[in-house]
């Protein structure tokens, strides 16, 4: 597996900038549109669970589960960006992820932040 399988985030020059900070240097918040989020729940397939169980006995990274979590987080972030775009935002500030177990059936990943309209200073 390549490094692309284990990462995420935005490409260069996105139409909706997503940052973990409260502000963006050289820009001012022109309008706050409110909270946006992207949510997804992924179940684990049986093969992944068996492989993870065997790997946990000998130690090491659970690469299949890592890849699945990366895909899940990327999907949640894409949904967040879609919601921000639909509201007319060009940025999401204070971006975060929240990950929880969903009733022992899978993993819930929520990407959230504050949708804003930024203007250059």
């Amino acid at each position: 597996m390549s490094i692309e399988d284990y990462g995420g985030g935005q490409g260069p020059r996105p139409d909706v900038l997503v940052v973990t900070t409260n502000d963006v240097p050289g820009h001012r918040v022109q309008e706050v549109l409110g909270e946006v989020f992207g949510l997804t729940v992924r179940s684990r397939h049986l093969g992944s669970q068996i492989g993870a169980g065997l790997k946990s006995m000998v130690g090491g990274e659970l690469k299949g589960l890592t890849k699945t979590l990366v895909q899940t987080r990327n999907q949640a972030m894409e949904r967040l960006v879609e919601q921000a775009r639909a509201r007319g935002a060009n940025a999401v500030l204070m971006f975060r992820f929240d990950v929880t177990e969903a009733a022992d059936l899978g993993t819930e990943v929520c990407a959230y932040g504050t949708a804003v309209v930024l203007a250059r200073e």
Side-chain angles (χ1 to χ4, degrees):
M1 287 190 228
S2 68
I3 191 66
E4 289 83 24
D5 294 329
Y6 297 105
Q10 297 181 291
R13 303 209 181 263
D15 65 321
V16 177
L17 178 66
V18 178
V19 297
T20 59
T21 57
N22 296 335
D23 52 25
V24 177
H27 295 76
R28 66 179 170 78
V29 175
Q30 186 174 345
E31 185 178 1
V32 175
L33 301 173
E35 179 194 12
V36 288
F37 67 90
L39 181 68
T40 186
V41 178
R42 291 273 177 108
S43 65
R44 294 179 206 94
H45 61 79
L46 184 59
S48 172
Q49 287 181 312
I50 292 171
L54 294 172
K55 186 71 169 185
S56 68
M57 288 191 276
V58 296
E61 181 181 9
L62 305 173
K63 291 183 180 182
L65 291 177
T66 299
K67 187 174 179 180
T68 298
L69 185 55
V70 167
Q71 292 168 344
T72 304
R73 289 175 71 136
N74 288 342
Q75 183 178 44
M77 185 172 178
E78 288 168 9
R79 290 178 178 175
L80 165 113
V81 169
E82 288 173 16
Q83 188 180 51
R85 187 181 295 119
R87 290 192 184 181
N90 65 358
V92 175
L93 303 180
M94 299 175 286
F95 170 73
R96 302 287 187 269
F97 280 114
D98 185 45
V99 180
T100 58
E101 289 296 314
D104 291 331
L105 297 174
T107 302
E108 172 191 330
V109 176
C110 182
Y112 63 95
T114 302
V116 300
V117 175
L118 291 181
R120 286 200 176 274
E121 292 184 326

